Short mmCIF file of all heavy atoms in Angstrom, two decimals:
data_model
loop_
_atom_site.label_atom_id
_atom_site.label_comp_id
_atom_site.label_asym_id
_atom_site.label_seq_id
_atom_site.Cartn_x
_atom_site.Cartn_y
_atom_site.Cartn_z
N ASP A 14 1.08 2.15 -19.23
CA ASP A 14 2.34 2.65 -18.73
C ASP A 14 2.95 1.73 -17.68
O ASP A 14 3.97 2.03 -17.10
CB ASP A 14 2.18 4.07 -18.19
CG ASP A 14 1.21 4.17 -17.01
OD1 ASP A 14 0.75 3.13 -16.52
OD2 ASP A 14 0.91 5.29 -16.59
N GLY A 15 2.32 0.60 -17.37
CA GLY A 15 2.88 -0.37 -16.45
C GLY A 15 2.72 -0.03 -14.98
O GLY A 15 3.34 -0.65 -14.14
N GLU A 16 1.89 0.96 -14.66
CA GLU A 16 1.70 1.35 -13.27
C GLU A 16 0.26 1.10 -12.84
O GLU A 16 -0.65 1.16 -13.64
CB GLU A 16 2.07 2.81 -13.07
CG GLU A 16 3.53 3.09 -13.36
CD GLU A 16 3.93 4.52 -13.11
OE1 GLU A 16 3.15 5.27 -12.52
OE2 GLU A 16 5.04 4.88 -13.51
N SER A 17 0.09 0.80 -11.56
CA SER A 17 -1.23 0.54 -11.00
C SER A 17 -1.87 1.82 -10.48
O SER A 17 -1.18 2.75 -10.10
CB SER A 17 -1.11 -0.44 -9.82
OG SER A 17 -0.51 -1.64 -10.23
N VAL A 18 -3.19 1.83 -10.48
CA VAL A 18 -3.95 2.94 -9.91
C VAL A 18 -4.90 2.36 -8.87
O VAL A 18 -5.56 1.36 -9.14
CB VAL A 18 -4.73 3.69 -11.00
CG1 VAL A 18 -5.60 4.77 -10.38
CG2 VAL A 18 -3.80 4.26 -12.04
N VAL A 19 -4.95 2.98 -7.69
CA VAL A 19 -5.84 2.52 -6.63
C VAL A 19 -6.78 3.66 -6.29
O VAL A 19 -6.35 4.78 -6.02
CB VAL A 19 -5.06 2.11 -5.37
CG1 VAL A 19 -6.00 1.69 -4.26
CG2 VAL A 19 -4.08 0.99 -5.70
N SER A 20 -8.06 3.38 -6.30
CA SER A 20 -9.05 4.39 -5.95
C SER A 20 -9.20 4.48 -4.44
O SER A 20 -9.08 3.48 -3.73
CB SER A 20 -10.41 4.04 -6.57
OG SER A 20 -10.32 4.01 -7.96
N ALA A 21 -9.49 5.68 -3.96
CA ALA A 21 -9.73 5.88 -2.53
C ALA A 21 -11.00 5.15 -2.12
O ALA A 21 -11.91 4.98 -2.93
CB ALA A 21 -9.86 7.36 -2.23
N GLN A 22 -11.05 4.72 -0.87
CA GLN A 22 -12.25 4.10 -0.32
C GLN A 22 -12.77 4.99 0.80
O GLN A 22 -12.03 5.35 1.70
CB GLN A 22 -11.91 2.72 0.26
CG GLN A 22 -11.47 1.71 -0.77
CD GLN A 22 -11.21 0.36 -0.12
OE1 GLN A 22 -11.99 -0.12 0.70
NE2 GLN A 22 -10.11 -0.25 -0.51
N TYR A 23 -14.02 5.36 0.69
CA TYR A 23 -14.67 6.16 1.73
C TYR A 23 -15.76 5.29 2.35
O TYR A 23 -16.68 4.87 1.65
CB TYR A 23 -15.27 7.44 1.12
CG TYR A 23 -14.21 8.30 0.48
CD1 TYR A 23 -13.97 8.24 -0.89
CD2 TYR A 23 -13.44 9.15 1.25
CE1 TYR A 23 -12.99 9.01 -1.47
CE2 TYR A 23 -12.45 9.94 0.67
CZ TYR A 23 -12.23 9.87 -0.69
OH TYR A 23 -11.25 10.65 -1.26
N LEU A 24 -15.61 5.00 3.63
CA LEU A 24 -16.48 4.03 4.28
C LEU A 24 -17.26 4.65 5.42
O LEU A 24 -16.80 5.59 6.07
CB LEU A 24 -15.64 2.88 4.83
CG LEU A 24 -14.71 2.20 3.82
CD1 LEU A 24 -13.77 1.26 4.55
CD2 LEU A 24 -15.50 1.46 2.78
N GLU A 25 -18.42 4.09 5.66
CA GLU A 25 -19.22 4.45 6.82
C GLU A 25 -18.88 3.49 7.95
O GLU A 25 -18.37 2.39 7.72
CB GLU A 25 -20.72 4.35 6.48
CG GLU A 25 -21.17 5.30 5.38
CD GLU A 25 -21.08 6.76 5.80
OE1 GLU A 25 -21.28 7.07 6.98
OE2 GLU A 25 -20.79 7.60 4.92
N LYS A 26 -19.18 3.88 9.17
CA LYS A 26 -18.92 3.04 10.32
C LYS A 26 -19.56 1.67 10.11
O LYS A 26 -20.70 1.57 9.68
CB LYS A 26 -19.50 3.68 11.58
CG LYS A 26 -19.17 2.93 12.84
CD LYS A 26 -19.65 3.67 14.06
CE LYS A 26 -19.26 2.90 15.30
NZ LYS A 26 -19.66 3.60 16.51
N GLY A 27 -18.79 0.62 10.38
CA GLY A 27 -19.27 -0.74 10.24
C GLY A 27 -18.94 -1.39 8.90
O GLY A 27 -19.01 -2.59 8.77
N GLN A 28 -18.58 -0.59 7.88
CA GLN A 28 -18.19 -1.16 6.60
C GLN A 28 -16.75 -1.65 6.66
O GLN A 28 -15.94 -1.15 7.44
CB GLN A 28 -18.32 -0.11 5.48
CG GLN A 28 -19.73 0.28 5.17
CD GLN A 28 -19.79 1.31 4.05
OE1 GLN A 28 -19.13 2.34 4.12
NE2 GLN A 28 -20.58 1.02 3.04
N LYS A 29 -16.43 -2.64 5.84
CA LYS A 29 -15.09 -3.21 5.83
C LYS A 29 -14.25 -2.66 4.68
O LYS A 29 -14.77 -2.39 3.60
CB LYS A 29 -15.15 -4.73 5.73
CG LYS A 29 -15.72 -5.38 6.97
CD LYS A 29 -15.63 -6.88 6.90
CE LYS A 29 -16.13 -7.50 8.19
NZ LYS A 29 -15.95 -8.93 8.22
N VAL A 30 -12.96 -2.55 4.94
CA VAL A 30 -11.99 -2.11 3.93
C VAL A 30 -11.78 -3.25 2.94
O VAL A 30 -11.60 -4.40 3.34
CB VAL A 30 -10.64 -1.75 4.58
CG1 VAL A 30 -9.59 -1.44 3.55
CG2 VAL A 30 -10.82 -0.59 5.53
N ALA A 31 -11.78 -2.94 1.66
CA ALA A 31 -11.44 -3.93 0.63
C ALA A 31 -9.96 -3.76 0.32
O ALA A 31 -9.54 -2.72 -0.20
CB ALA A 31 -12.29 -3.71 -0.61
N LYS A 32 -9.15 -4.75 0.68
CA LYS A 32 -7.71 -4.66 0.43
C LYS A 32 -7.47 -4.65 -1.08
O LYS A 32 -7.91 -5.55 -1.79
CB LYS A 32 -6.98 -5.83 1.06
CG LYS A 32 -5.48 -5.76 0.85
CD LYS A 32 -4.77 -6.95 1.44
CE LYS A 32 -3.30 -6.90 1.07
NZ LYS A 32 -2.62 -8.14 1.29
N PRO A 33 -6.76 -3.62 -1.58
CA PRO A 33 -6.46 -3.57 -3.02
C PRO A 33 -5.49 -4.68 -3.42
O PRO A 33 -4.76 -5.21 -2.58
CB PRO A 33 -5.79 -2.20 -3.20
CG PRO A 33 -6.10 -1.44 -1.97
CD PRO A 33 -6.30 -2.44 -0.88
N ALA A 34 -5.48 -4.99 -4.69
CA ALA A 34 -4.52 -5.96 -5.23
C ALA A 34 -3.11 -5.38 -5.11
O ALA A 34 -2.93 -4.17 -4.95
CB ALA A 34 -4.85 -6.25 -6.69
N ASP A 35 -2.11 -6.25 -5.19
CA ASP A 35 -0.73 -5.78 -5.18
C ASP A 35 -0.50 -4.84 -6.37
O ASP A 35 -1.07 -5.04 -7.44
CB ASP A 35 0.25 -6.96 -5.25
CG ASP A 35 0.28 -7.74 -3.94
OD1 ASP A 35 -0.30 -7.29 -2.95
OD2 ASP A 35 0.92 -8.81 -3.93
N LEU A 36 0.32 -3.85 -6.16
CA LEU A 36 0.55 -2.82 -7.16
C LEU A 36 1.77 -3.13 -8.03
O LEU A 36 2.61 -3.94 -7.66
CB LEU A 36 0.76 -1.47 -6.46
CG LEU A 36 -0.36 -1.02 -5.55
CD1 LEU A 36 0.01 0.30 -4.89
CD2 LEU A 36 -1.66 -0.88 -6.32
N VAL A 37 1.87 -2.42 -9.15
CA VAL A 37 2.99 -2.56 -10.07
C VAL A 37 3.52 -1.17 -10.37
O VAL A 37 2.75 -0.26 -10.68
CB VAL A 37 2.55 -3.24 -11.39
CG1 VAL A 37 3.68 -3.27 -12.39
CG2 VAL A 37 2.02 -4.64 -11.12
N LEU A 38 4.84 -1.02 -10.26
CA LEU A 38 5.52 0.22 -10.62
C LEU A 38 6.87 -0.16 -11.20
O LEU A 38 7.68 -0.82 -10.53
CB LEU A 38 5.69 1.13 -9.40
CG LEU A 38 6.41 2.46 -9.61
CD1 LEU A 38 5.64 3.35 -10.60
CD2 LEU A 38 6.58 3.18 -8.29
N ALA A 39 7.12 0.22 -12.44
CA ALA A 39 8.35 -0.15 -13.13
C ALA A 39 9.58 0.26 -12.31
O ALA A 39 9.67 1.39 -11.84
CB ALA A 39 8.40 0.50 -14.50
N GLY A 40 10.50 -0.69 -12.10
CA GLY A 40 11.74 -0.43 -11.38
C GLY A 40 11.65 -0.57 -9.88
O GLY A 40 12.62 -0.33 -9.17
N TYR A 41 10.47 -0.99 -9.37
CA TYR A 41 10.27 -1.12 -7.93
C TYR A 41 9.56 -2.42 -7.60
O TYR A 41 8.80 -2.94 -8.39
CB TYR A 41 9.42 0.04 -7.38
CG TYR A 41 10.13 1.37 -7.43
CD1 TYR A 41 10.16 2.12 -8.58
CD2 TYR A 41 10.78 1.85 -6.30
CE1 TYR A 41 10.81 3.35 -8.63
CE2 TYR A 41 11.44 3.08 -6.33
CZ TYR A 41 11.45 3.82 -7.50
OH TYR A 41 12.10 5.02 -7.54
N ASP A 42 9.79 -2.92 -6.39
CA ASP A 42 9.05 -4.05 -5.84
C ASP A 42 8.03 -3.50 -4.85
O ASP A 42 8.38 -2.65 -4.01
CB ASP A 42 9.98 -5.02 -5.11
CG ASP A 42 10.91 -5.76 -6.05
OD1 ASP A 42 10.48 -6.09 -7.17
OD2 ASP A 42 12.07 -5.99 -5.66
N PHE A 43 6.80 -3.98 -4.93
CA PHE A 43 5.75 -3.58 -3.99
C PHE A 43 5.94 -4.37 -2.71
O PHE A 43 5.93 -5.59 -2.71
CB PHE A 43 4.37 -3.85 -4.60
CG PHE A 43 3.24 -3.55 -3.67
CD1 PHE A 43 2.99 -2.25 -3.26
CD2 PHE A 43 2.42 -4.56 -3.20
CE1 PHE A 43 1.93 -1.96 -2.41
CE2 PHE A 43 1.36 -4.28 -2.36
CZ PHE A 43 1.12 -2.98 -1.95
N MET A 44 6.11 -3.66 -1.57
CA MET A 44 6.38 -4.31 -0.28
C MET A 44 5.12 -4.46 0.57
O MET A 44 5.15 -5.14 1.58
CB MET A 44 7.44 -3.51 0.49
CG MET A 44 8.73 -3.30 -0.29
SD MET A 44 9.50 -4.82 -0.87
CE MET A 44 9.99 -5.54 0.67
N GLY A 45 4.04 -3.80 0.18
CA GLY A 45 2.79 -3.90 0.94
C GLY A 45 2.25 -2.53 1.30
O GLY A 45 2.66 -1.51 0.73
N TRP A 46 1.35 -2.52 2.25
CA TRP A 46 0.69 -1.30 2.71
C TRP A 46 1.11 -1.00 4.13
O TRP A 46 1.35 -1.91 4.92
CB TRP A 46 -0.83 -1.48 2.67
CG TRP A 46 -1.34 -1.74 1.30
CD1 TRP A 46 -1.65 -2.96 0.77
CD2 TRP A 46 -1.60 -0.79 0.29
NE1 TRP A 46 -2.08 -2.82 -0.52
CE2 TRP A 46 -2.07 -1.48 -0.85
CE3 TRP A 46 -1.49 0.60 0.21
CZ2 TRP A 46 -2.43 -0.84 -2.02
CZ3 TRP A 46 -1.85 1.23 -0.97
CH2 TRP A 46 -2.31 0.51 -2.06
N ASN A 47 1.17 0.30 4.49
CA ASN A 47 1.50 0.69 5.85
C ASN A 47 0.84 2.03 6.14
O ASN A 47 0.61 2.82 5.23
CB ASN A 47 3.02 0.80 6.03
CG ASN A 47 3.43 0.70 7.49
OD1 ASN A 47 2.97 1.46 8.33
ND2 ASN A 47 4.32 -0.24 7.78
N THR A 48 0.53 2.28 7.40
CA THR A 48 -0.05 3.56 7.79
C THR A 48 1.02 4.63 7.99
O THR A 48 0.71 5.80 8.12
CB THR A 48 -0.87 3.42 9.09
OG1 THR A 48 -0.05 2.85 10.10
CG2 THR A 48 -2.09 2.53 8.86
N GLU A 49 2.29 4.23 7.99
CA GLU A 49 3.41 5.16 8.10
C GLU A 49 3.96 5.43 6.70
O GLU A 49 4.38 4.50 6.01
CB GLU A 49 4.52 4.58 8.98
CG GLU A 49 4.08 4.24 10.39
CD GLU A 49 3.84 5.48 11.22
OE1 GLU A 49 4.51 6.51 11.00
OE2 GLU A 49 2.95 5.42 12.10
N LYS A 50 3.97 6.69 6.28
CA LYS A 50 4.37 7.04 4.92
C LYS A 50 5.82 6.65 4.61
O LYS A 50 6.14 6.26 3.50
CB LYS A 50 4.18 8.54 4.70
CG LYS A 50 4.29 8.96 3.27
CD LYS A 50 3.89 10.41 3.08
CE LYS A 50 3.81 10.74 1.62
NZ LYS A 50 3.31 12.10 1.41
N GLU A 51 6.71 6.72 5.59
CA GLU A 51 8.13 6.43 5.38
C GLU A 51 8.52 5.01 5.77
O GLU A 51 9.71 4.70 5.87
CB GLU A 51 8.99 7.44 6.15
CG GLU A 51 8.72 8.89 5.76
CD GLU A 51 8.98 9.18 4.29
OE1 GLU A 51 9.93 8.63 3.71
OE2 GLU A 51 8.20 9.97 3.71
N ALA A 52 7.56 4.13 5.99
CA ALA A 52 7.85 2.75 6.39
C ALA A 52 8.60 2.02 5.29
O ALA A 52 8.57 2.41 4.12
CB ALA A 52 6.54 2.02 6.71
N THR A 53 9.29 0.94 5.66
CA THR A 53 10.05 0.14 4.69
C THR A 53 9.46 -1.24 4.48
O THR A 53 9.96 -1.99 3.64
CB THR A 53 11.51 0.00 5.13
OG1 THR A 53 11.54 -0.59 6.44
CG2 THR A 53 12.19 1.37 5.18
N GLU A 54 8.42 -1.59 5.24
CA GLU A 54 7.76 -2.89 5.04
C GLU A 54 6.26 -2.75 5.24
O GLU A 54 5.78 -1.81 5.86
CB GLU A 54 8.33 -3.95 5.98
CG GLU A 54 8.22 -3.61 7.43
CD GLU A 54 8.94 -4.63 8.32
OE1 GLU A 54 10.06 -5.02 8.01
OE2 GLU A 54 8.33 -5.02 9.34
N GLY A 55 5.55 -3.70 4.67
CA GLY A 55 4.10 -3.67 4.76
C GLY A 55 3.59 -4.23 6.08
O GLY A 55 4.30 -4.94 6.79
N ILE A 56 2.34 -3.90 6.39
CA ILE A 56 1.66 -4.44 7.57
C ILE A 56 0.34 -5.05 7.13
O ILE A 56 -0.10 -4.85 5.99
CB ILE A 56 1.41 -3.35 8.64
CG1 ILE A 56 0.50 -2.25 8.07
CG2 ILE A 56 2.71 -2.79 9.17
CD1 ILE A 56 0.03 -1.24 9.09
N GLU A 57 -0.31 -5.76 8.02
CA GLU A 57 -1.63 -6.33 7.73
C GLU A 57 -2.65 -5.20 7.59
O GLU A 57 -2.71 -4.30 8.42
CB GLU A 57 -2.04 -7.26 8.89
CG GLU A 57 -3.32 -7.99 8.67
CD GLU A 57 -3.18 -9.13 7.68
OE1 GLU A 57 -2.07 -9.64 7.50
OE2 GLU A 57 -4.20 -9.49 7.08
N VAL A 58 -3.44 -5.24 6.53
CA VAL A 58 -4.50 -4.25 6.34
C VAL A 58 -5.67 -4.64 7.23
O VAL A 58 -6.18 -5.74 7.15
CB VAL A 58 -4.94 -4.17 4.87
CG1 VAL A 58 -6.16 -3.27 4.70
CG2 VAL A 58 -3.79 -3.67 4.00
N VAL A 59 -6.06 -3.73 8.12
CA VAL A 59 -7.16 -3.98 9.05
C VAL A 59 -8.47 -3.77 8.30
O VAL A 59 -8.68 -2.74 7.67
CB VAL A 59 -7.08 -3.02 10.26
CG1 VAL A 59 -8.26 -3.22 11.18
CG2 VAL A 59 -5.77 -3.22 10.99
N GLU A 60 -9.36 -4.78 8.35
CA GLU A 60 -10.62 -4.70 7.60
C GLU A 60 -11.66 -3.84 8.29
O GLU A 60 -12.44 -3.18 7.64
CB GLU A 60 -11.19 -6.11 7.38
CG GLU A 60 -10.39 -6.93 6.39
CD GLU A 60 -11.03 -8.27 6.13
OE1 GLU A 60 -12.00 -8.65 6.82
OE2 GLU A 60 -10.56 -8.96 5.21
N GLU A 61 -11.69 -3.87 9.62
CA GLU A 61 -12.67 -3.08 10.36
C GLU A 61 -11.96 -1.97 11.10
O GLU A 61 -11.22 -2.22 12.06
CB GLU A 61 -13.46 -3.96 11.32
CG GLU A 61 -14.34 -4.96 10.59
CD GLU A 61 -15.26 -5.71 11.52
OE1 GLU A 61 -15.75 -5.10 12.48
OE2 GLU A 61 -15.47 -6.91 11.27
N LEU A 62 -12.17 -0.74 10.68
CA LEU A 62 -11.48 0.41 11.26
C LEU A 62 -12.35 1.09 12.30
O LEU A 62 -13.57 1.10 12.21
CB LEU A 62 -11.12 1.40 10.15
CG LEU A 62 -10.27 0.84 9.01
CD1 LEU A 62 -10.09 1.88 7.93
CD2 LEU A 62 -8.93 0.36 9.53
N THR A 63 -11.68 1.70 13.27
CA THR A 63 -12.40 2.45 14.31
C THR A 63 -12.11 3.94 14.22
O THR A 63 -12.64 4.72 15.01
CB THR A 63 -12.01 1.94 15.71
OG1 THR A 63 -10.59 2.07 15.87
CG2 THR A 63 -12.41 0.47 15.88
N GLU A 64 -11.24 4.33 13.28
CA GLU A 64 -10.89 5.73 13.09
C GLU A 64 -10.42 5.94 11.65
O GLU A 64 -10.19 4.98 10.92
CB GLU A 64 -9.78 6.15 14.06
CG GLU A 64 -8.49 5.36 13.87
CD GLU A 64 -7.45 5.66 14.94
OE1 GLU A 64 -7.69 6.53 15.80
OE2 GLU A 64 -6.41 5.02 14.91
N ASP A 65 -10.28 7.20 11.24
CA ASP A 65 -9.79 7.50 9.89
C ASP A 65 -8.36 6.99 9.74
O ASP A 65 -7.53 7.18 10.63
CB ASP A 65 -9.80 9.00 9.62
CG ASP A 65 -11.21 9.55 9.48
OD1 ASP A 65 -12.14 8.76 9.32
OD2 ASP A 65 -11.35 10.79 9.52
N VAL A 66 -8.08 6.32 8.63
CA VAL A 66 -6.75 5.75 8.37
C VAL A 66 -6.40 5.98 6.91
O VAL A 66 -7.24 5.85 6.02
CB VAL A 66 -6.73 4.23 8.66
CG1 VAL A 66 -5.41 3.61 8.27
CG2 VAL A 66 -7.02 3.95 10.12
N THR A 67 -5.12 6.31 6.69
CA THR A 67 -4.57 6.36 5.33
C THR A 67 -3.52 5.27 5.22
O THR A 67 -2.62 5.19 6.06
CB THR A 67 -3.93 7.73 5.05
OG1 THR A 67 -4.93 8.75 5.17
CG2 THR A 67 -3.33 7.77 3.65
N TYR A 68 -3.66 4.42 4.20
CA TYR A 68 -2.64 3.41 3.93
C TYR A 68 -1.79 3.90 2.77
O TYR A 68 -2.30 4.39 1.76
CB TYR A 68 -3.29 2.07 3.54
CG TYR A 68 -3.84 1.30 4.71
CD1 TYR A 68 -5.19 1.24 4.97
CD2 TYR A 68 -2.98 0.61 5.56
CE1 TYR A 68 -5.70 0.53 6.04
CE2 TYR A 68 -3.48 -0.10 6.64
CZ TYR A 68 -4.83 -0.15 6.87
OH TYR A 68 -5.32 -0.86 7.93
N TYR A 69 -0.47 3.75 2.92
CA TYR A 69 0.49 4.15 1.89
C TYR A 69 1.10 2.90 1.27
O TYR A 69 1.40 1.93 1.97
CB TYR A 69 1.61 5.00 2.49
CG TYR A 69 1.12 6.27 3.11
CD1 TYR A 69 0.83 6.34 4.47
CD2 TYR A 69 0.93 7.41 2.34
CE1 TYR A 69 0.36 7.51 5.04
CE2 TYR A 69 0.46 8.59 2.91
CZ TYR A 69 0.18 8.63 4.25
OH TYR A 69 -0.28 9.79 4.82
N ALA A 70 1.28 2.93 -0.05
CA ALA A 70 1.99 1.85 -0.74
C ALA A 70 3.47 1.97 -0.41
O ALA A 70 4.04 3.06 -0.45
CB ALA A 70 1.77 1.94 -2.25
N ILE A 71 4.10 0.84 -0.05
CA ILE A 71 5.52 0.83 0.30
C ILE A 71 6.29 0.18 -0.85
O ILE A 71 5.96 -0.92 -1.29
CB ILE A 71 5.76 0.04 1.61
CG1 ILE A 71 4.87 0.58 2.73
CG2 ILE A 71 7.23 0.06 1.99
CD1 ILE A 71 5.04 2.05 3.04
N TRP A 72 7.31 0.89 -1.33
CA TRP A 72 8.08 0.45 -2.49
C TRP A 72 9.55 0.27 -2.13
O TRP A 72 10.08 0.98 -1.28
CB TRP A 72 8.00 1.50 -3.60
CG TRP A 72 6.62 1.74 -4.06
CD1 TRP A 72 5.81 2.79 -3.70
CD2 TRP A 72 5.86 0.95 -4.96
NE1 TRP A 72 4.60 2.69 -4.31
CE2 TRP A 72 4.60 1.57 -5.10
CE3 TRP A 72 6.10 -0.22 -5.66
CZ2 TRP A 72 3.60 1.04 -5.92
CZ3 TRP A 72 5.11 -0.73 -6.46
CH2 TRP A 72 3.88 -0.10 -6.59
N LYS A 73 10.20 -0.67 -2.80
CA LYS A 73 11.65 -0.87 -2.68
C LYS A 73 12.21 -0.83 -4.09
O LYS A 73 11.77 -1.58 -4.97
CB LYS A 73 11.95 -2.22 -2.02
CG LYS A 73 13.42 -2.49 -1.85
CD LYS A 73 13.64 -3.81 -1.14
CE LYS A 73 15.11 -4.11 -0.99
NZ LYS A 73 15.32 -5.43 -0.36
N LYS A 74 13.16 0.07 -4.30
CA LYS A 74 13.77 0.22 -5.63
C LYS A 74 14.53 -1.06 -5.98
O LYS A 74 15.29 -1.59 -5.18
CB LYS A 74 14.71 1.41 -5.68
CG LYS A 74 15.23 1.70 -7.07
CD LYS A 74 15.75 3.11 -7.16
CE LYS A 74 16.29 3.42 -8.52
NZ LYS A 74 15.32 3.38 -9.58
N GLN A 75 14.31 -1.56 -7.19
CA GLN A 75 15.01 -2.74 -7.66
C GLN A 75 16.46 -2.36 -8.00
O GLN A 75 16.71 -1.27 -8.51
CB GLN A 75 14.34 -3.31 -8.91
CG GLN A 75 12.96 -3.85 -8.66
CD GLN A 75 12.25 -4.26 -9.94
OE1 GLN A 75 12.66 -3.92 -11.03
NE2 GLN A 75 11.16 -5.00 -9.78
N ILE A 76 17.37 -3.27 -7.67
CA ILE A 76 18.77 -3.05 -7.98
C ILE A 76 19.16 -4.03 -9.07
O ILE A 76 19.00 -5.24 -8.92
CB ILE A 76 19.65 -3.27 -6.74
CG1 ILE A 76 19.27 -2.29 -5.63
CG2 ILE A 76 21.12 -3.14 -7.10
CD1 ILE A 76 19.95 -2.52 -4.33
N ASN A 77 19.66 -3.51 -10.18
CA ASN A 77 20.09 -4.35 -11.30
C ASN A 77 21.61 -4.43 -11.28
O ASN A 77 22.30 -3.42 -11.47
CB ASN A 77 19.60 -3.78 -12.63
CG ASN A 77 18.09 -3.84 -12.73
OD1 ASN A 77 17.48 -4.81 -12.31
ND2 ASN A 77 17.48 -2.80 -13.27
N LEU A 78 22.13 -5.62 -11.05
CA LEU A 78 23.58 -5.83 -11.06
C LEU A 78 23.99 -6.38 -12.42
O LEU A 78 23.50 -7.40 -12.86
CB LEU A 78 23.98 -6.82 -9.96
CG LEU A 78 23.58 -6.40 -8.53
CD1 LEU A 78 23.93 -7.53 -7.56
CD2 LEU A 78 24.26 -5.12 -8.14
N THR A 79 24.89 -5.68 -13.06
CA THR A 79 25.39 -6.14 -14.36
C THR A 79 26.89 -6.17 -14.31
O THR A 79 27.54 -5.44 -13.57
CB THR A 79 24.94 -5.20 -15.49
OG1 THR A 79 25.40 -3.88 -15.20
CG2 THR A 79 23.43 -5.19 -15.61
N LYS A 80 27.47 -7.05 -15.13
CA LYS A 80 28.94 -7.17 -15.18
C LYS A 80 29.49 -6.17 -16.14
O LYS A 80 28.96 -5.76 -17.08
CB LYS A 80 29.34 -8.58 -15.60
CG LYS A 80 29.03 -9.59 -14.53
CD LYS A 80 29.54 -10.95 -14.96
CE LYS A 80 29.26 -11.97 -13.88
NZ LYS A 80 29.77 -13.26 -14.18
#
């Protein structure tokens, strides 16, 4: 269907986050990951966490200009 699936990561203290590959969603550009659900740009994924974190995929709708 042209869309990416990312599995959740459950880590113990001291384990590192594995940054997922860039995602694909038809009609959208993948802008990166962010801890803010409504963000408009991605941030650096922190590999060593000190607290529970949820990363959200950030998308920008593609605009098709036609004559």
Side-chain angles (χ1 to χ4, degrees):
D14 62 7
E16 297 183 11
S17 302
V18 176
V19 178
S20 298
Q22 295 182 45
Y23 300 96
L24 306 170
E25 297 294 327
K26 185 175 181 178
Q28 291 180 307
K29 292 187 177 185
V30 174
K32 181 182 174 195
D35 288 351
L36 303 178
V37 175
L38 179 62
Y41 291 83
D42 291 324
F43 177 66
M44 304 305 292
W46 298 98
N47 201 304
T48 55
E49 302 288 329
K50 192 171 188 175
E51 302 301 322
T53 57
E54 58 186 45
I56 61 172
E57 185 75 24
V58 173
V59 177
E60 289 184 351
E61 293 188 37
L62 303 175
T63 58
E64 61 187 356
D65 289 346
V66 174
T67 299
Y68 283 104
Y69 299 94
I71 306 302
W72 300 100
K73 180 178 179 183
K74 186 161 180 64
Q75 294 173 346
I76 299 173
N77 294 320
L78 302 175
T79 58
K80 290 184 179 183

